[in-house]
Amino acid sequence: MVKGDQRITNWIPYKSQKCTRIASVTPSQIQRTTARTLALAIENLPSIQGNYACVFGFPGSAPLETNATRSADGVTCATPRVELLPEIPGNDQSIPARLSVRMVNGGPEFSAANVTFYDCAALTDCGSCVSSPYPCDWCVQGHRCTHDTGENCRNDYLVNGQNRSGYSSRSGPSFCPRIRPATGFQNDQYTLVPSGMLRQVAVRVENIQPFQSRFSCAFSVDGRLERAEANLVGDLVTCSPVQFGYQALAPNATAALYVTWSDDKPLDNPGQLYVMIYKCAAMSSNCGFCLDLPPEFECGWCEKTCQVRNQCQSNERVTWLDRSSTCPNPEILRISPATGPWEGGTQISIEGINLGKTFTDISGGVVVAGHPCMALPDRYERTSKIVCQTEQIRKDRPEGIDLTGEISVNVANQFKAVSPMKFSYVDPKILKIWPTFGPKSGGTRVIIQGRYLDAGSRVTANIGQPCEIVFRNGTIIVCITSPATASEKVTVEMMFDNGRRTIDEANGQQFEYLHDPDVSAVDSFGSGQLMQGARGTPSGGSFIYVDGTLLNTVADPQMVFVYNGREYAGDCDALSDIRMQCRSPAAKVASAAFPDGRGVDRPVELEWGFRMDGVGSLKNLSRMPRFKKFELFPDPIIYNFSDPSGVKYHKSEYLFIDGENLNHAYRMEDYTVEIGMGVCNITSLSRKQLTCRPPDSEPIAKGADGRPRMGSIPEVRVSITDRLNVSIGSLSYDSPIAPFVFSTEIIVGIAVGAGILVLVLIAFFIAYRRKATESNRVLKTMQEQIDVLELQVASECKEAFAELQTDITDWTEALNTGGIPFRDYRWYVAKVLFPNSESHPTMTGEMTVDPARKHNIENGLKLFQQLLLNKTFLLTFIRTLESNRYFGMRDRVNVASLLMAVLQSDMVYCTDILKTLLTELIEKAVDSKSNPNLKLLMRRNESVAEKMLSAWLTFLLYPFLKEVAGRPLYLLYRAVQMQIEMGPVDSLTSEAKYSLSEEKLIRQKIDYKKMLIYVSCVDPEHNTQEYPVKVLDCDSITQIKEKALDVIYRNTAFSRRPRPDNLDLEWRTGQAGRTPLQDEDQTSVTESGGGGVTWRRLNTLQHYHVNDGAAFVLLPKHTNFYNLTIMSDKSDKSLQSHKSSPGISRGASPFVRGDADAEHGIKSWHLVRPHDSADPPSRDGTTKRNNKLVTEIYLTRLLTTKTTLKKFIDEMFETILRTNFGNYAFPQAIKYLFDFLDDQALHHEIQDPEVVHTWKSNSLPLRFWVNLIKNPNFVFNIHKSNSVDSCLSVIAQALMESCSTTDLKLSKDSPSSKLLFAKDITGYQQWVRQYYDDIKYHLPEVTELDFNHILVEESKAHKHDFHTRPALLELFTYAKKHIDPLMAALNADEFSERARLPSRVLQVVHLMNAEIRP
């Protein structure tokens, strides 16, 4: 640019070496609401003709321009008009602007500077006003911030801003009227108030002026403002009492604190003082956590919840515990590990609740299996976790017998917690290792096999050097060896805490460190010959041969190459110590990776090597000079036959197959050519062609399933190793048909003959049509009906098949819930013994007797218990009862259950009685000389002994249920429940689309849609969290509530859940819209039926037109009635309104009808309506029973359900029909019982093996397992619906059939339950036979001494689980009813006379003479 350029208007001489610069702007801070003139001092401003302009640029707004006037040192200009300035953002007090100077007619800017527009009025409190960086003052009486006190605050009390020019005696926030914390504030910031409590809050005030009066307090909680009057005394402001509270389930909520004066003018709150409202119950769920809360919360334990003292209604039964108290009812929830070596040193983690407030409370109080365990103070977590270290115990037990016992914690010598799970002192054994060798560079993955390898808390392995453990369970440990210093054999050694173990000496296995392998040469096939170097294709699988030394020292060698930063591996197999065969790795490589498109001449070169455990020298051979890089060629391309329709005709002796890249990495032997069921022998392979010799005759075609397919042209398939398999067309051995040329004579003859034939056919057709017109009309009508039927049948079959193929893994993962809800031992036994009683007196201890006779009755029951513990009396008592023909089945079952409840504390005696009674039963059956009677033994539950046997198994198999069989049983129940809920279930009839029971199967098509809704539950436990719930739009409202409760309370036992009948379901349709949903209300659809009956359908989500993803809330049921006149299916207008925005409150809910409707001829139905020929068609399109066609087509659903559940049924049957359970020993009670039955058969010389087989089946599977399969609610705290019950009954029936020794005879009239498992029964029967044989021949014998020891431990563990007094009282009523024959039998017995039993019985009767009201 030159000076003479006419375009230059603002020229600055270069000699000055200065640019135009705005040195200052006065003022640089401008009150936004005031117009000001700005003075801009500008250095080196050029002197030019024209007018200057000031340009104000604001963020996000168009620039504003004002005229400027030249001054001595720069320019002056006015600020833009106030109304043109942009608004200051809501949370700010100023807005920046860029001020620049330029010419009015445009052109470049000379210079620019920053200015600020502020607004003091945006500041609403004194502190922020006077602390502002702008010249703002606070008018106390006017309660406002201003830039002009003369105009806005005349005669007012001022606090000047810190940035106000000039002297002021009251400047800064320290002179503002404000509040300060008073006594009771925590950290000078907040004061604590329990939720629901009435509390006064007091604060101190500063700088209060005489004109400030009429103080009040305000608290902002949950969006609402609570106000209270306040009194000022001195410098203390005290607020009137306010009841603080909040609705959320959070541990605490913050209430903002405001102190105002005269018309809601708040004092400054510089410390942000507030009130913290808290709920003790939300901060702690158990006593230990409650008492461990900080003392300022003043929380204590009130029976079952954490409360402040004033909220605890203390009385004689309820005591409030403060921080100095010790929590009762300590509980152990988890222990880890569950096993440890007998040498000790195991650090057991014990987690639970109420486990002491301090370490002193539990120090010295931890006992593990009867031995002390030293608690570690540095690992102790107050109230919730104890870590203790076991001591060495004496190993005075036989080999293989472990010491197992419970863990107990004594808390402050007042309370004791006992673990529900057991800890075992075990003797870990190392039995075997594999491999037994590896390179001395380490890295070998060694598998160590043994017993109890999961014992202990700190386990290390040493194989000459430390071996890093990467996996561990009870039988296997996997570790990675470390480098060794020399090639040598070493012993495998492990430390289980303080226990040192080496491999079993009898095994003699050692691990040998060998010299590292080395690779000398690598060859692979290319262009039909063996070539030096490694090569392959993206599909991999080509053979590569490796030469070297010690190649067999690695158990699992692999070849690897690196492509795009990722490592790919292929397996190798050591043929000898000097030869190894590898398969090239497969990799994901795009075709564009090859430079010339096909990579023929320029393969992709990759770095490669071998994974040989820890041998690092072989990891990258491509860096060694003697090895080339791995050559990656493109995959072979095989072209399809070019013949029409892809069918090639076999014309020559050889078949030629064209392609590309055929021999770059593969041998001829790697290719296989199949023609149908035959093979085409390959004779040559080149880069672009493969030649093979087909069979002499046409092979049979092969179907997609690999089976022969007659009548089809065989398909030609080319396979390359096991990686590529393509079809290139079909090969036909037939010759192509050549075109035939007709002569003129032949054509004329054919035409004449055809014409005559047409005339004859026309004449015949006219005659026939006249006679068949009516028949055709009838046939057409029938055909149309058949077509409709076929379409419906095909639709149902297609749907069933699709369901059959559904991958059940989509919902198998959902079965692994947060835990299995086992019932404890007491309630489990009570459910089996007294299934029809929810709270039997043996559980509650309730016994109503005359108070005047209570002492005598107590003494009488003690004597009667002593009589029952006399074998002679008890056997005589049972025989006497059973000899009475009026002593029915129900009485036999009740007496047996009561006796087992009484005898449970002495299982040795109980077992002796049971064996005696069973021996008598067998003798009675043998004496009848009837083989059918022998097989019916213990089948019909006709005797007290048989019921006692059931209870005996119930007692002794509970540990087996919890540790082994309970899980597959629970998974089977859950699988059945979930499969049923995948389809519609009739809420009233319990019929389901998916069922194993024909009686409970919906035999019609139900249109439904799967939905996902979100349900929250208003209770303290769930904190209004929304839970996704899978439902069907045809579900009734009660079913929706049940499914929601299953999801929300999935980790809660069923008995502790709220009942659906006690809850209301609300559909939340907006901020205020609430629609209560009910099974029946005024919107329910009603239809007239035959016989004057009106049918009313239960409401569903479809009825309410609920959309997918809707939100619902479960609330406690309200007692008020509802009024709702909307949501009727009869009104399209109301329907549309409901879909868009119902906006209905709880006060406008449908009116719920009662059960009295049945008295007025109104009957309810859900999905399946009972047959009524007079019923009109359904308005909502639901098919009713009278509208269905062939209901038998729906029986395929039984097979669909059975196939889906087959895995879980097999797992359950397999668990209860096998004898090996890994670390868990086989139940000794079963072995003892079966040996007893075998001995009885041998004693009575019973030669028929089917008899003993039947005895065993009747005593265990049919008596015990069938009962639990049909009633899983005996074992688990769950709800068993009628639909689930019907399916479980079919499964139990299948188990019963499996125990039969005869073949299952079936016909077309057989029940569907038998037909369903017809093909499986044979396999199950084999399982049962093998199970009985394994118990008899492969399990060690259980001696009387060993079994009695088990029985004694069982009695000790559950000695006080039942209240025996009510059971004795009820047993005595039976004795009293049969007193005459009982006394006669006792007097006739010699042993009874010797023991003076008759007189002792009379003594009991005398003491129990009073009126008894059981």
Side-chain angles (χ1 to χ4, degrees):
M1 183 178 293
V2 295
K3 186 174 182 180
D5 193 337
Q6 297 301 316
R7 293 171 296 173
I8 302 302
T9 59
N10 305 326
W11 179 260
I12 300 176
Y14 75 94
K15 293 182 179 180
S16 67
Q17 296 185 354
K18 293 181 180 180
C19 292
T20 302
R21 183 179 73 88
I22 299 177
S24 64
V25 179
T26 306
S28 62
Q29 297 174 341
I30 308 101
Q31 169 70 23
R32 182 189 174 280
T33 59
T34 303
R36 297 291 299 272
T37 298
L38 307 182
L40 283 68
I42 304 175
E43 297 176 352
N44 207 23
L45 181 66
S47 298
I48 55 177
Q49 295 181 351
N51 297 322
Y52 294 94
C54 290
V55 180
F56 296 82
F58 297 93
S61 301
L64 301 176
E65 183 175 318
T66 62
N67 294 326
T69 304
R70 181 70 184 257
S71 63
D73 58 353
V75 298
T76 61
C77 61
T79 58
R81 296 204 311 268
V82 173
E83 64 270 16
L84 297 179
L85 293 174
E87 295 291 336
I88 296 176
N91 295 327
D92 296 331
Q93 56 180 315
S94 63
I95 183 171
R98 183 178 181 272
L99 173 60
S100 60
V101 178
R102 69 182 183 191
M103 302 304 295
V104 172
N105 57 356
E109 297 176 348
F110 295 120
S111 183
N114 294 324
V115 296
T116 302
F117 288 87
Y118 65 91
D119 187 4
C120 292
L123 303 172
T124 58
D125 65 271
C126 177
S128 60
C129 176
V130 299
S131 301
S132 170
Y134 312 110
C136 298
D137 298 321
W138 182 257
C139 308
V140 176
Q141 195 165 0
H143 199 76
R144 60 182 298 186
C145 187
T146 181
H147 70 288
D148 187 354
T149 57
E151 178 67 25
N152 300 320
C153 293
R154 291 180 179 177
N155 302 321
D156 202 338
Y157 185 87
L158 297 178
V159 178
N160 297 120
Q162 292 177 333
N163 290 289
R164 168 67 68 185
S165 59
Y167 171 77
S168 174
S169 61
R170 296 190 299 272
S171 176
S174 60
F175 292 92
C176 289
R178 56 185 179 178
I179 61 174
R180 289 294 188 186
T183 304
F185 274 79
Q186 306 293 326
N187 300 323
D188 289 338
Q189 190 173 12
Y190 61 89
T191 184
L192 293 171
V193 179
S195 179
M197 294 290 292
L198 198 67
R199 183 67 59 88
Q200 281 185 330
V201 176
V203 295
R204 298 197 178 278
V205 293
E206 294 179 351
N207 304 321
I208 299 300
Q209 302 305 316
F211 54 80
Q212 292 179 292
S213 61
R214 289 185 294 152
F215 290 92
S216 63
C217 299
F219 305 91
S220 178
V221 187
D222 284 348
R224 69 182 189 277
L225 200 63
E226 298 285 347
R227 296 183 179 275
E229 295 181 356
N231 294 321
L232 175 63
V233 179
D235 64 344
L236 189 68
V237 172
T238 304
C239 305
S240 299
V242 175
Q243 187 170 20
F244 293 90
Y246 60 96
Q247 297 298 322
L249 300 179
N252 57 68
T254 298
L257 169 61
Y258 306 95
V259 177
T260 63
W261 62 279
S262 183
D263 300 328
D264 292 336
K265 297 176 181 178
L267 300 179
D268 279 10
N269 187 358
Q272 299 297 317
L273 304 183
Y274 63 91
V275 178
M276 179 184 289
I277 312 170
Y278 64 93
K279 295 180 181 179
C280 294
M283 290 192 290
S284 173
S285 59
N286 60 67
C287 177
F289 286 152
C290 178
L291 302 190
D292 195 39
L293 291 173
E296 56 265 22
F297 288 105
E298 299 179 350
C299 294
W301 190 251
C302 181
E303 190 177 20
K304 296 182 179 179
T305 185
C306 190
Q307 297 284 359
V308 295
R309 181 156 197 164
N310 291 342
Q311 293 178 338
C312 179
Q313 302 298 325
S314 301
N315 52 47
E316 295 180 356
R317 299 179 58 185
V318 178
T319 303
W320 186 78
L321 304 178
D322 60 11
R323 290 177 52 82
S324 63
S325 304
T326 300
C327 286
N329 305 321
E331 185 177 352
I332 298 175
L333 302 178
R334 287 175 296 277
I335 64 168
S336 176
T339 57
W342 55 268
E343 291 91 343
T346 303
Q347 293 186 0
I348 304 175
S349 175
I350 305 170
E351 298 181 41
I353 59 176
N354 302 338
L355 299 181
K357 295 184 303 178
T358 63
F359 179 76
T360 308
D361 290 347
I362 54 91
S363 178
V366 184
V367 177
V368 176
H371 293 270
C373 188
M374 181 178 66
L376 304 179
D378 56 329
R379 302 285 301 277
Y380 173 67
E381 296 179 13
R382 296 169 61 175
T383 79
S384 61
K385 184 176 179 181
I386 301 171
V387 178
C388 72
Q389 183 167 306
T390 60
E391 300 177 354
Q392 181 173 359
I393 66 170
R394 293 178 55 193
K395 190 176 184 302
D396 53 0
R397 305 174 69 82
E399 184 71 21
I401 303 299
D402 309 314
L403 175 61
T404 300
E406 60 196 16
I407 295 179
S408 64
V409 177
N410 191 324
V411 180
N413 293 323
Q414 298 182 48
F415 306 102
K416 183 178 182 182
V418 179
S419 64
M421 59 292 294
K422 302 295 181 66
F423 181 87
S424 299
Y425 287 96
V426 299
D427 185 10
K429 290 286 186 182
I430 305 174
L431 303 177
K432 185 180 179 182
I433 64 170
W434 185 90
T436 57
F437 57 87
K440 67 177 185 179
S441 291
T444 304
R445 191 179 182 89
V446 180
I447 299 175
I448 305 172
Q449 297 178 330
R451 295 197 306 265
Y452 302 121
L453 299 184
D454 58 348
S457 56
R458 294 162 297 168
V459 179
T460 60
N462 192 293
I463 306 180
Q465 302 293 330
C467 192
E468 180 187 2
I469 296 175
V470 295
F471 175 79
R472 181 167 75 114
N473 63 20
T475 58
I476 289 177
I477 285 179
V478 180
C479 70
I480 308 297
T481 60
S482 300
T485 56
S487 300
E488 59 181 346
K489 288 186 176 181
V490 295
T491 300
V492 178
E493 178 181 297
M494 295 192 66
M495 288 296 296
F496 297 87
D497 296 331
N498 292 345
R500 179 179 176 273
R501 298 291 187 275
T502 58
I503 197 165
D504 192 355
E505 296 180 358
N507 188 308
Q509 276 191 323
Q510 286 186 304
F511 185 87
E512 184 176 7
Y513 285 102
L514 302 172
H515 287 289
D516 290 346
D518 190 24
V519 175
S520 58
V522 177
D523 301 315
S524 58
F525 279 88
S527 301
Q529 59 184 345
L530 196 63
M531 305 177 66
Q532 184 178 4
R535 55 173 56 195
T537 67
S539 294
S542 60
F543 288 93
I544 299 173
Y545 296 93
V546 183
D547 295 328
T549 57
L550 300 175
L551 297 178
N552 59 353
T553 60
V554 177
D556 188 20
Q558 289 183 316
M559 167 178 277
V560 296
F561 64 63
V562 178
Y563 177 77
N564 276 352
R566 181 179 175 184
E567 198 172 77
Y568 298 90
D571 294 332
C572 297
D573 185 18
L575 306 177
S576 66
D577 62 337
I578 60 173
R579 186 75 165 170
M580 184 168 66
Q581 176 181 278
C582 298
R583 303 288 296 276
S584 64
K588 295 181 179 179
V589 180
S591 58
F594 300 99
D596 61 352
R598 294 190 176 179
V600 177
D601 301 318
R602 296 176 59 191
V604 177
E605 295 185 344
L606 307 173
E607 293 188 349
W608 66 287
F610 293 93
R611 287 181 188 164
M612 307 281 277
D613 290 346
V615 181
S617 60
L618 302 179
K619 287 184 178 180
N620 193 343
L621 294 183
S622 56
R623 296 181 180 177
M624 298 183 181
R626 68 177 187 270
F627 294 105
K628 299 189 300 181
K629 288 194 173 184
F630 189 96
E631 296 180 336
L632 186 69
F633 291 89
D635 281 327
I637 301 173
I638 301 174
Y639 297 139
N640 293 336
F641 291 145
S642 59
D643 301 76
S645 302
V647 178
K648 189 177 185 67
Y649 290 94
H650 181 44
K651 301 175 183 178
S652 64
E653 187 177 356
Y654 294 95
L655 176 64
F656 299 97
I657 300 173
D658 297 328
E660 297 284 350
N661 312 321
L662 299 182
N663 68 345
H664 279 313
Y666 294 104
R667 311 171 296 173
M668 185 171 64
E669 291 81 359
D670 295 334
Y671 284 83
T672 302
V673 181
E674 294 181 340
I675 305 176
M677 302 295 292
V679 177
C680 189
N681 295 320
I682 300 173
T683 57
S684 68
L685 177 69
S686 66
R687 173 181 164 186
K688 294 190 176 184
Q689 192 174 73
L690 181 150
T691 306
C692 67
R693 185 171 184 174
D696 295 334
S697 58
E698 181 175 294
I700 299 173
K702 181 191 292 186
D705 56 357
R707 298 181 179 180
R709 187 174 60 188
M710 309 302 294
S712 300
I713 302 175
E715 181 185 35
V716 179
R717 299 194 70 86
V718 180
S719 302
I720 308 175
T721 64
D722 56 351
R723 306 300 172 92
L724 296 173
N725 189 308
V726 294
S727 172
I728 60 174
S730 301
L731 183 66
S732 175
Y733 278 61
D734 297 333
S735 299
I737 300 175
F740 182 76
V741 181
F742 293 96
S743 64
T744 305
E745 292 80 359
I746 294 175
I747 294 174
V748 172
I750 292 175
V752 173
I756 296 172
L757 179 61
V758 168
L759 293 175
V760 173
L761 289 175
I762 291 174
F764 176 77
F765 178 75
I766 293 172
Y768 175 78
R769 186 178 178 89
R770 291 175 178 176
K771 296 180 180 180
T773 300
E774 185 176 356
S775 298
N776 286 340
R777 188 182 301 112
V778 175
L779 288 173
K780 184 177 181 181
T781 302
M782 294 178 61
Q783 185 63 42
E784 289 176 352
Q785 293 177 350
I786 291 174
D787 289 344
V788 172
L789 177 61
E790 287 180 347
L791 287 174
Q792 294 199 17
V793 172
S795 176
E796 283 298 325
C797 293
K798 182 178 181 181
E799 179 183 354
F801 179 78
E803 292 168 349
L804 191 63
Q805 301 301 319
T806 300
D807 187 5
I808 66 171
T809 57
D810 290 343
W811 51 268
T812 301
E813 295 180 358
L815 296 178
N816 296 320
T817 56
I820 299 178
F822 281 104
R823 293 187 186 275
D824 63 18
Y825 178 84
R826 295 177 67 247
W827 286 106
Y828 151 75
V829 171
K831 281 288 184 182
V832 177
L833 295 186
F834 310 105
N836 298 323
S837 176
E838 289 297 325
S839 56
H840 196 270
T842 56
M843 299 295 293
T844 62
E846 295 180 359
M847 185 175 66
T848 305
V849 297
D850 187 351
R853 301 291 300 166
K854 182 176 181 180
H855 179 71
N856 287 345
I857 291 174
E858 290 285 345
N859 292 334
L861 292 178
K862 290 179 182 179
L863 293 177
F864 187 62
Q865 184 175 13
Q866 294 174 5
L867 285 173
L868 291 179
L869 295 178
N870 183 287
K871 184 176 181 179
T872 301
F873 174 80
L874 182 54
L875 293 175
T876 303
F877 175 58
I878 295 173
R879 293 166 187 157
T880 301
L881 295 180
E882 291 189 316
S883 64
N884 189 332
R885 62 178 179 173
Y886 298 108
F887 187 66
M889 179 67 68
R890 182 176 298 178
D891 291 328
R892 295 170 191 264
V893 170
N894 191 39
V895 166
S897 298
L898 294 170
L899 283 174
M900 292 303 292
V902 173
L903 301 181
Q904 196 265 352
S905 60
D906 191 350
M907 288 298 293
V908 176
Y909 172 66
C910 176
T911 304
D912 183 32
I913 294 295
L914 180 60
K915 287 172 60 177
T916 304
L917 293 174
L918 290 177
T919 301
E920 292 177 356
L921 275 180
I922 295 173
E923 290 177 351
K924 182 178 179 181
V926 170
D927 290 343
S928 67
K929 304 299 181 183
S930 172
N931 196 54
N933 284 344
L934 283 176
K935 291 185 178 181
L936 291 177
L937 184 68
M938 290 178 286
R939 179 65 179 269
R940 295 181 178 176
N941 207 27
E942 293 179 340
S943 66
V944 173
E946 290 169 308
K947 180 58 181 176
M948 289 179 66
L949 176 61
S950 300
W952 186 80
L953 290 170
T954 300
F955 291 162
L956 298 179
L957 294 187
Y958 180 72
F960 178 70
L961 270 174
K962 287 207 69 172
E963 299 295 333
V964 179
R967 177 177 174 80
L969 177 59
Y970 182 69
L971 291 182
L972 175 61
Y973 156 76
R974 289 283 289 138
V976 170
Q977 182 191 40
M978 294 178 67
Q979 178 65 9
I980 289 174
E981 291 180 352
M982 286 179 66
V985 180
D986 193 288
S987 181
L988 299 178
T989 66
S990 298
E991 295 182 11
K993 177 181 179 181
Y994 297 104
S995 177
L996 294 175
S997 171
E998 183 177 355
E999 290 75 14
K1000 291 295 182 181
L1001 180 70
I1002 293 181
R1003 296 198 188 189
Q1004 61 189 50
K1005 183 175 179 59
I1006 303 292
D1007 294 328
Y1008 67 95
K1009 181 179 69 174
K1010 295 182 179 179
M1011 301 175 64
L1012 183 67
I1013 63 175
Y1014 295 88
V1015 182
S1016 59
C1017 187
V1018 180
D1019 63 33
E1021 181 180 353
H1022 295 88
N1023 199 21
T1024 64
Q1025 175 185 349
E1026 286 192 344
Y1027 295 85
V1029 181
K1030 295 179 180 179
V1031 298
L1032 307 178
D1033 65 347
C1034 64
D1035 286 341
S1036 69
I1037 306 307
T1038 298
Q1039 289 175 327
I1040 300 297
K1041 291 191 283 188
E1042 290 172 348
K1043 291 182 179 181
L1045 290 174
D1046 280 343
V1047 174
I1048 297 172
Y1049 294 91
R1050 58 182 175 270
N1051 295 328
T1052 304
F1054 179 77
S1055 62
R1056 298 179 182 177
R1057 300 181 184 178
R1059 296 295 179 259
D1061 294 341
N1062 297 332
L1063 298 174
D1064 279 337
L1065 182 67
E1066 276 192 356
W1067 179 18
R1068 295 296 172 91
T1069 56
Q1071 292 185 351
R1074 299 180 179 182
T1075 304
L1077 307 187
Q1078 302 288 337
D1079 281 332
E1080 297 183 61
D1081 55 34
Q1082 285 186 345
T1083 70
S1084 299
V1085 177
T1086 58
E1087 297 176 3
S1088 298
V1093 175
T1094 299
W1095 291 97
R1096 181 169 62 210
R1097 188 175 184 184
L1098 297 185
N1099 297 336
T1100 63
L1101 293 185
Q1102 187 181 38
H1103 167 79
Y1104 285 109
H1105 304 284
V1106 174
N1107 296 324
D1108 197 14
F1112 293 84
V1113 178
L1114 285 173
L1115 298 169
K1117 185 175 286 294
H1118 287 244
T1119 57
N1120 58 305
F1121 292 100
Y1122 300 117
N1123 266 322
L1124 182 66
T1125 57
I1126 66 170
M1127 300 295 296
S1128 174
D1129 291 337
K1130 301 177 181 179
S1131 173
D1132 294 336
K1133 181 178 179 180
S1134 62
L1135 172 60
Q1136 182 64 30
S1137 173
H1138 176 71
K1139 286 183 177 179
S1140 59
S1141 179
I1144 302 169
S1145 65
R1146 289 184 60 87
S1149 175
F1151 177 79
V1152 182
R1153 297 181 175 92
D1155 296 334
D1157 291 336
E1159 300 177 2
H1160 298 85
I1162 298 177
K1163 295 184 179 180
S1164 298
W1165 69 288
H1166 179 204
L1167 301 177
V1168 180
R1169 202 168 98 182
H1171 177 67
D1172 187 347
S1173 58
D1175 288 349
S1178 175
R1179 292 180 293 178
D1180 59 0
T1182 304
T1183 307
K1184 300 183 177 62
R1185 287 198 179 277
N1186 55 321
N1187 293 327
K1188 65 181 182 291
L1189 295 172
V1190 183
T1191 59
E1192 282 71 15
I1193 66 173
Y1194 296 101
L1195 293 180
T1196 56
R1197 293 175 178 172
L1198 300 177
L1199 183 60
T1200 300
T1201 307
K1202 178 250 183 179
T1203 305
T1204 308
L1205 298 175
K1206 181 71 162 54
K1207 168 191 172 186
F1208 301 96
I1209 298 172
D1210 287 351
E1211 287 182 357
M1212 180 62 202
F1213 286 7
E1214 183 183 5
T1215 301
I1216 64 177
L1217 296 176
R1218 63 186 174 99
T1219 57
N1220 184 15
F1221 305 104
N1223 291 337
Y1224 192 87
F1226 183 78
Q1228 300 295 296
I1230 298 177
K1231 172 65 175 173
Y1232 185 82
L1233 173 63
F1234 281 15
D1235 287 351
F1236 168 76
L1237 296 177
D1238 287 331
D1239 293 342
Q1240 287 296 313
L1242 185 65
H1243 174 73
H1244 293 288
E1245 299 180 353
I1246 298 174
Q1247 304 297 327
D1248 187 359
E1250 291 188 3
V1251 172
V1252 183
H1253 181 102
T1254 306
W1255 287 359
K1256 295 176 180 179
S1257 298
N1258 293 345
S1259 62
L1260 179 64
L1262 274 62
R1263 181 167 301 280
F1264 181 74
W1265 290 120
V1266 166
N1267 188 31
L1268 294 188
I1269 291 175
K1270 293 174 66 175
N1271 301 286
N1273 52 308
F1274 288 177
V1275 185
F1276 313 112
N1277 197 333
I1278 57 175
H1279 170 64
K1280 182 187 66 170
S1281 66
N1282 292 336
S1283 303
V1284 172
D1285 180 71
S1286 63
C1287 292
L1288 294 177
S1289 296
V1290 174
I1291 297 172
Q1293 180 65 36
L1295 178 60
M1296 295 174 65
E1297 298 292 344
S1298 304
C1299 295
S1300 173
T1301 57
T1302 59
D1303 294 334
L1304 193 63
K1305 296 180 181 180
L1306 300 172
S1307 67
K1308 63 180 182 179
D1309 298 323
S1310 299
S1312 60
S1313 59
K1314 290 191 176 183
L1315 294 173
L1316 202 57
F1317 288 91
K1319 292 185 178 180
D1320 306 299
I1321 294 300
T1322 302
Y1324 294 154
Q1325 287 178 335
Q1326 180 60 35
W1327 288 6
V1328 174
R1329 284 191 291 269
Q1330 185 64 44
Y1331 177 64
Y1332 293 164
D1333 289 344
D1334 288 345
I1335 294 175
K1336 183 175 182 179
Y1337 299 112
H1338 299 146
L1339 292 181
E1341 180 183 359
V1342 181
T1343 65
E1344 288 289 341
L1345 182 62
D1346 291 339
F1347 193 64
N1348 284 345
H1349 177 73
I1350 294 174
L1351 295 176
V1352 169
E1353 293 298 321
E1354 176 74 15
S1355 300
K1356 288 181 180 179
H1358 307 290
K1359 185 175 183 180
H1360 303 294
D1361 282 354
F1362 300 102
H1363 298 276
T1364 58
R1365 290 288 187 268
L1368 291 169
L1369 184 60
E1370 193 168 350
L1371 285 171
F1372 177 75
T1373 59
Y1374 283 102
K1376 188 175 181 180
K1377 291 178 182 178
H1378 302 80
I1379 190 65
D1380 293 337
L1382 177 61
M1383 292 298 295
L1386 291 174
N1387 288 322
D1389 186 273
E1390 178 182 354
F1391 295 99
S1392 172
E1393 286 291 334
R1394 290 179 182 177
R1396 299 175 57 250
L1397 294 181
S1399 61
R1400 293 168 64 183
V1401 171
L1402 292 177
Q1403 184 181 3
V1404 173
V1405 173
H1406 175 71
L1407 288 171
M1408 304 288 291
N1409 195 19
E1411 288 293 328
I1412 299 175
R1413 299 189 298 273

